[in-house]
């Protein structure tokens, strides 16, 4: 039962990275792809039907973490609260800006919202990437289900590069989304932006792998990382991004978006497999790390949650498929946003 709920958690987190990833990516792409008010509103119109629904996946993952893995939830969220708070503030800023910039009459007010839009893409993307980096490097968990991050651990070169790589992957993903969903110059600029971001993301991914080899992903006294998933991810991510660039050059935005979606979700799967059976690795005391068995709720609780899960997860999937079907096709002109 605990493996089932770990799979559900991984599924929801992967979906959040893929779907929320193009939200953040579009927000990052706006300054480069939307050069006037009409094109900005067209880009936001392409995103508009999806951006709230996409965050349901992150909320669902948080709910699973709270219900099925309460020890992990309490330990991780309290210990990594600076990144969690930054993530939440970025989400609030970005979602508010998407909704409210269209209601502002003057250009100065819209410029303020545009800054918040970009920040609302950059901060969550960086925070999520750094959280993946921290999960891979391990945290200073001594026991007692609590830890405190130092500045050196948060600003570790590998952790920062994980954040930077995630920002660039999401940016490429957002550009590919605009190439797929927008029309005219916005789509063309989105494709060009995605190609540039994907190229930089490849370099960042290579630099991240090099930093992991140079500095060590985690201390020698920590539980060893499962090398195979990490190696496969390090090789697959640049290949997916290179494939996205080639697809955009061939004017195949759907294929490019599929490739960037796979690239956006890959870090969650890779981190989970690289750490298994640990959900939270201790960088100081290997025995203090939280394994799956230690982190999961008791069997009765998981069995009760399963009754809700078999209803809620299909509803989330159905809602997402319906959105993409209902709003299929390109957005040719600005609307409410």
């Amino acid at each position: 039962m605990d493996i089932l709920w770990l799979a559900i958690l991984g599924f929801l987190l992967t979906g959040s990275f893929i779907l929320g990833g193009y939200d953040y990516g579009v927000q990052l792409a706006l300054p480069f792809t939307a050069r006037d008010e009409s094109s900005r509103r067209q880009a936001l119109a392409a995103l508009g039907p999806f951006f709230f629904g996409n965050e349901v996946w992150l909320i669902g993952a948080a709910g699973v973490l709270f219900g099925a893995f309460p020890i992990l939830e309490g330990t991780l969220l309290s210990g990594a609260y600076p990144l969690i708070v930054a993530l939440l503030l970025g989400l609030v800023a970005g979602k508010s800006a998407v909704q409210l910039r269209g209601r502002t009459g003057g250009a100065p007010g819209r410029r303020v919202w545009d800054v918040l839009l970009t920040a609302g893409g950059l901060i969550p993307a960086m925070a999520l990437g750094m959280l993946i980096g921290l999960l891979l490097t391990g945290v200073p968990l001594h026991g007692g289900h609590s830890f405190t991050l130092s500045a050196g651990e948060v600003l570790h070169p590998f952790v920062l590069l994980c954040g930077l790589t995630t920002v660039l992957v999401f940016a490429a993903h957002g550009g590919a989304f605009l190439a797929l969903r927008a029309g005219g110059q916005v789509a063309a600029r989105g494709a060009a932006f995605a190609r540039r971001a994907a190229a930089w993301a490849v370099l960042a991914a290579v630099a991240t792998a090099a930093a992991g080899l140079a500095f060590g992903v985690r201390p020698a006294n920590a539980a060893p990382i499962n090398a195979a998933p990490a190696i496969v991810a390090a090789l697959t991510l640049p290949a997916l991004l290179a494939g996205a660039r080639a697809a955009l050059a061939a004017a195949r935005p759907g294929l490019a978006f599929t490739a960037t979606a796979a690239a956006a979700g890959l870090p969650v799967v890779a981190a989970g497999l690289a750490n298994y059976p640990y959900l939270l690795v201790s960088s100081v005391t290997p025995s203090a790390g939280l394994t799956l068995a230690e982190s999961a709720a008791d069997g009765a609780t998981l069995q009760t949650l399963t009754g809700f899960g078999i209803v809620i997860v299909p509803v989330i999937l159905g809602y997402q498929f319906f959105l993409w079907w209902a709003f299929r096709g390109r957005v040719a002109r600005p609307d409410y946003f």
Side-chain angles (χ1 to χ4, degrees):
M1 194 69 75
D2 53 357
I3 293 178
L4 170 64
W5 277 99
L6 180 62
I8 292 173
L9 177 62
F11 174 70
L12 291 172
L13 284 173
T14 302
S16 174
F17 269 61
I18 293 172
L19 299 170
Y22 71 72
D23 278 6
Y24 314 140
V26 169
Q27 292 169 234
L28 289 166
L30 275 177
F32 306 94
T33 58
R35 299 175 182 175
D36 54 46
E37 180 61 17
S38 177
S39 59
R40 285 188 183 91
R41 294 189 67 179
Q42 184 185 350
L44 292 176
L47 179 63
F50 305 99
F51 79 106
F52 266 139
N54 291 345
E55 297 307 331
V56 169
W57 292 72
L58 183 60
I59 295 169
V64 170
L65 195 62
F66 179 80
F69 302 99
I71 295 176
L72 175 64
E73 179 264 338
T75 304
L76 179 61
L77 298 191
S78 62
Y81 74 89
L83 290 177
I84 301 298
V85 170
L87 169 64
L88 294 176
L89 290 176
L91 289 174
V92 170
K95 302 312 175 189
S96 300
V98 169
Q99 294 181 88
L100 296 177
R101 79 173 301 281
R103 302 185 185 185
T104 303
R110 286 196 294 271
R111 282 195 292 269
V112 172
W113 290 119
D114 286 340
V115 170
L116 290 175
L117 263 172
T118 304
L122 174 63
I123 295 172
M126 190 72 184
L128 288 170
M130 291 176 69
L131 283 170
I132 291 290
L134 283 169
L135 289 176
L136 289 171
T137 59
V139 297
L141 190 63
H142 292 276
H145 303 152
S146 65
F147 66 90
T148 301
L149 292 172
S150 67
E153 287 157 338
V154 175
L155 302 178
H156 188 285
F158 179 79
V159 173
L160 290 175
L161 283 169
C162 283
L164 176 61
T165 302
T166 303
V167 169
L168 292 169
V169 169
F170 285 178
H173 194 28
F177 175 82
L178 289 177
L180 178 66
R181 279 274 297 155
Q185 287 298 311
V186 175
R189 292 170 188 158
F193 175 80
R195 292 185 66 194
R196 293 194 301 271
W200 283 106
V202 169
L203 295 177
V206 172
T208 303
L213 293 174
F215 298 100
V217 175
R218 62 181 54 153
N221 64 331
I225 195 169
N226 296 325
I231 293 171
V232 170
L235 296 174
T236 304
L237 183 58
L240 288 170
L241 294 166
R245 278 178 54 84
L248 289 166
R252 300 185 65 184
L255 183 59
F257 182 73
T258 301
T260 57
L266 181 62
V268 176
V269 178
L273 293 176
N275 281 350
Y276 189 82
Y278 288 95
L279 300 188
L280 197 59
V281 174
S282 173
S283 59
V284 289
T285 307
S287 60
L290 291 177
T291 64
L292 173 59
E294 294 167 338
S295 303
D298 61 88
T301 300
L302 294 179
Q303 189 170 4
T304 301
L305 290 173
T306 301
F308 293 96
I310 60 177
V311 174
I312 293 173
V313 173
V315 168
I316 294 175
L317 275 173
Y319 171 72
Q320 198 68 51
F321 281 120
F322 171 76
L323 273 181
W324 276 90
W325 178 83
F327 295 98
R328 62 194 181 278
R330 294 182 180 272
V331 173
R333 62 183 185 275
D335 69 355
Y336 170 79
F337 292 102

